[in-house]
Amino acid sequence: MKKDRVELEPLLIEVIDQVKHNRKIVQQINDVFREYGLPSGTFQSISRSKNEVYSLDAARLYVLTHALHITTNNNAISPFEYFTIKEIDQAKEYIKKTKSNNVLELPIILDNVIKMSDEEYVTKIDASTLVQMYLSQLIFYDFETQRSPKFKKHGKNSFIEVPEINKSSVDDISQHMLNGIYLPDTITLNVYSEQVESISYAPKTQILTINEEAIISILDGFHRLQGAVKAFSVNPDLTQQMFLSIRCYDKDTAKRFFGQINTVNIVKPERLKELKSEKYSDKIVKDLQRKSELTGKIASASKVSKIAGQLTTFDTLSYAIEKVFNPTNFIEEREIAQYLTDFFGYLIAYYVDEFKDTKTTYMNHPKMFAGYIQIAKIFKNENISLNKLKQYVDEIDFNDSELIKALEDRSTNKSRNMTITYFENRGVLNV
């Protein structure tokens, strides 16, 4: 390549986000992909996650760049700026050589499917079919409805999200399948679309069709699927039956379902709390995740990821809001959500560099956000203009031993409570 791909990738991701819901442009992009021998639905697979862009080989990255460039006329992603003539000329031939003969494409037809409701269906399926669907990039892992991701560095200034996988569990499942002692278990897929009918079902024949352009995510059984993928890579002729549960849920229902089935299992409690979002304080944090300067900066797990730019956790914010504001109805929830959106808008804008800093300081310490919630309560109660927030924060001694003791206490709830109390006792001061 003429330039490092890390310069191109964020530009492509930005353009993908702009066009992925435009059916006319998506159809044009698919036409270009088909010219290069790539299966229908490849672009939809790529558009689901920036990780897919990062993982493309150079030939497929060129096709994506070329397709986006000619359909959007965006000169910032002109392929001639990034790819050599040789790479462009050889792209189609390379794709032909590396394309698997076992690639599946939508629509996919399943028989002997029992309809439980308009949103729930069950059947049996060969595990080999599920493996083929996964390797054909028809099944993807949706971080919005699953366990919180892990983050890996990609280039100097970016990161990729990867599923958190228990390798020993995958190995055990794989070995049991290879040894012929794995009992059939259930894989749950969510099949949905915002643009087309995701499935068709014929009651008389019990045939279910997953329609073209449908999106398929895995709701439950990702480790089982990974175990099957590993087992079939060792023995492609393996015989293994699985039960398949097909759901047709929207994102919110899928989140509730995942939270429901993992109430007892080992999903991190912080992530379950986020998925269920039962308290008013939880819903306020969900609002902050979507609409405030904290968007993309709130971790689902118990710890933040600095390389992902996260500042605090869902649980810390929810705990502090519950304790400090104690919302008890819908109106209070809406008012507090809007106020905190404004509050953190001012705070982050006043201290852009401090909250971008990847080094841990007490000002951007994750538990300090419990303190910021208390400060927000003081400003709201006293009707102090948020224009004076910088004046207030500038007077905070972040090296005060009492504050440090509160932030560093090993007991999570005790630390939050001490931090809240510290600023409650500090009061209004001279603002």
Side-chain angles (χ1 to χ4, degrees):
M1 293 184 67
K2 292 180 178 179
K3 298 180 182 179
D4 195 314
R5 61 185 289 161
V6 296
E7 297 180 33
L8 174 62
E9 288 163 344
L11 299 176
L12 294 178
I13 291 166
E14 183 178 341
V15 176
I16 288 170
D17 286 339
Q18 293 169 359
V19 305
K20 64 184 181 181
H21 298 301
N22 186 317
R23 292 192 67 182
K24 183 178 179 181
I25 292 179
V26 169
Q27 185 59 52
Q28 292 172 348
I29 292 170
N30 284 336
D31 290 342
V32 175
F33 274 50
R34 278 191 284 269
E35 289 177 17
Y36 281 82
L38 291 171
S40 174
T42 301
F43 177 71
Q44 284 90 332
S45 175
I46 292 171
S47 67
R48 292 166 194 154
S49 170
K50 61 185 178 182
N51 295 358
E52 299 294 334
V53 177
Y54 297 147
S55 64
L56 292 174
D57 57 51
R60 288 168 174 79
L61 186 67
Y62 160 71
V63 176
L64 175 63
T65 307
H66 169 58
L68 289 173
H69 176 243
I70 65 174
T71 54
T72 64
N73 296 314
N74 187 335
N75 289 326
I77 55 171
S78 170
F80 298 103
E81 295 292 321
Y82 295 91
F83 297 90
T84 65
I85 297 299
K86 183 177 180 181
E87 287 173 322
I88 293 172
D89 290 342
Q90 294 180 345
K92 185 177 288 189
E93 190 62 30
Y94 179 83
I95 290 170
K96 184 178 179 181
K97 288 180 181 178
T98 57
K99 182 180 175 183
S100 171
N101 293 326
N102 294 322
V103 170
L104 293 180
E105 297 186 34
L106 297 178
I108 287 178
I109 298 173
L110 303 171
D111 56 15
N112 298 318
V113 179
I114 298 173
K115 179 179 179 179
M116 310 296 289
S117 75
D118 287 340
E119 295 181 326
E120 291 106 6
Y121 304 81
V122 293
T123 187
K124 286 183 74 174
I125 192 170
D126 288 332
S128 59
T129 302
L130 290 171
V131 170
Q132 278 185 276
M133 289 174 66
Y134 179 76
L135 295 178
S136 301
Q137 296 186 312
L138 293 179
I139 300 174
F140 81 107
Y141 188 97
D142 187 352
F143 290 108
E144 286 190 56
T145 60
Q146 286 283 312
R147 290 169 170 82
S148 49
K150 291 172 66 177
F151 298 91
K152 288 187 177 181
K153 289 275 284 184
H154 178 77
K156 290 184 179 180
N157 300 310
S158 63
F159 64 92
I160 59 174
E161 298 173 324
V162 295
E164 187 171 355
I165 296 174
N166 184 329
K167 186 175 180 298
S168 63
S169 177
V170 171
D171 290 343
D172 286 346
I173 292 168
S174 171
Q175 199 58 52
H176 279 69
M177 287 184 178
L178 290 168
N179 292 339
I181 58 173
Y182 186 80
L183 299 174
D185 207 340
T186 302
I187 301 286
T188 304
L189 301 179
N190 192 34
V191 182
Y192 62 98
S193 174
E194 297 176 356
Q195 300 174 328
V196 299
E197 287 294 327
S198 59
I199 66 163
S200 302
Y201 182 72
K204 289 185 178 179
T205 59
Q206 293 188 319
I207 290 177
L208 182 145
T209 303
I210 301 177
N211 294 326
E212 193 171 352
E213 296 188 38
I215 297 171
I216 309 171
S217 68
I218 186 159
L219 272 183
D220 185 47
F222 188 67
H223 281 79
R224 277 157 260 161
L225 180 56
Q226 292 300 299
V229 170
K230 185 169 184 178
F232 277 87
S233 70
V234 177
N235 180 8
D237 298 321
L238 188 66
T239 299
Q240 177 67 58
Q241 288 277 300
M242 301 290 281
F243 296 107
L244 176 63
S245 173
I246 297 174
R247 309 297 172 109
C248 300
Y249 291 156
D250 58 26
K251 283 289 180 75
D252 288 339
T253 306
K255 289 178 184 178
R256 293 205 310 273
F257 174 77
F258 184 77
Q260 171 185 302
I261 62 176
N262 286 287
T263 300
V264 179
N265 295 332
I266 59 171
V267 178
K268 293 178 180 178
E270 297 84 7
R271 180 58 170 163
L272 285 175
K273 182 184 179 78
E274 178 182 350
L275 289 166
K276 289 184 174 182
S277 297
E278 293 171 343
K279 295 182 179 179
Y280 288 113
S281 58
D282 296 340
K283 294 176 181 178
I284 291 170
V285 181
K286 296 289 282 186
D287 244 33
L288 295 176
Q289 284 180 316
R290 291 193 298 265
K291 303 176 184 178
S292 78
E293 289 298 313
L294 291 179
T295 299
K297 298 178 172 66
I298 302 173
S300 301
S302 58
K303 294 182 180 179
V304 300
S305 168
K306 285 293 183 180
I307 63 172
Q310 294 173 344
L311 294 172
T312 189
T313 69
F314 186 100
D315 195 49
T316 293
L317 288 172
S318 178
Y319 181 92
I321 292 168
E322 179 77 13
K323 185 172 182 63
V324 173
F325 283 94
N326 190 28
T328 59
N329 57 53
F330 173 80
I331 295 174
E332 290 179 358
E333 174 208 321
R334 293 290 85 214
E335 290 177 348
I336 295 166
Q338 184 56 59
Y339 187 80
L340 290 178
T341 296
D342 294 341
F343 177 87
F344 284 112
Y346 275 81
L347 180 67
I348 303 296
Y350 280 138
Y351 299 97
V352 173
D353 292 336
E354 287 82 351
F355 288 113
K356 276 186 178 178
D357 194 348
T358 56
K359 295 181 179 178
T360 299
T361 66
Y362 288 109
M363 184 175 186
N364 66 23
H365 192 287
K367 293 177 187 173
M368 181 60 209
F369 281 78
Y372 291 133
I373 295 296
Q374 176 60 49
I375 294 170
K377 184 68 157 55
I378 292 170
F379 269 63
K380 190 174 190 298
N381 284 357
E382 300 297 329
N383 199 26
I384 302 170
S385 170
L386 290 174
N387 290 326
K388 295 186 178 182
L389 182 57
K390 187 175 189 303
Q391 179 184 340
Y392 182 96
V393 175
D394 281 347
E395 293 181 6
I396 298 173
D397 179 6
F398 287 99
N399 292 315
D400 181 356
S401 59
E402 185 180 349
L403 176 58
I404 293 173
K405 181 180 178 182
L407 294 172
E408 295 291 354
D409 195 279
R410 291 188 177 184
S411 170
T412 301
N413 286 345
K414 182 180 178 183
S415 175
R416 295 166 179 168
N417 291 336
M418 290 169 65
T419 304
I420 290 168
T421 301
Y422 177 90
F423 288 101
E424 187 178 21
N425 292 338
R426 189 172 187 265
V428 178
L429 297 183
N430 298 318
V431 296

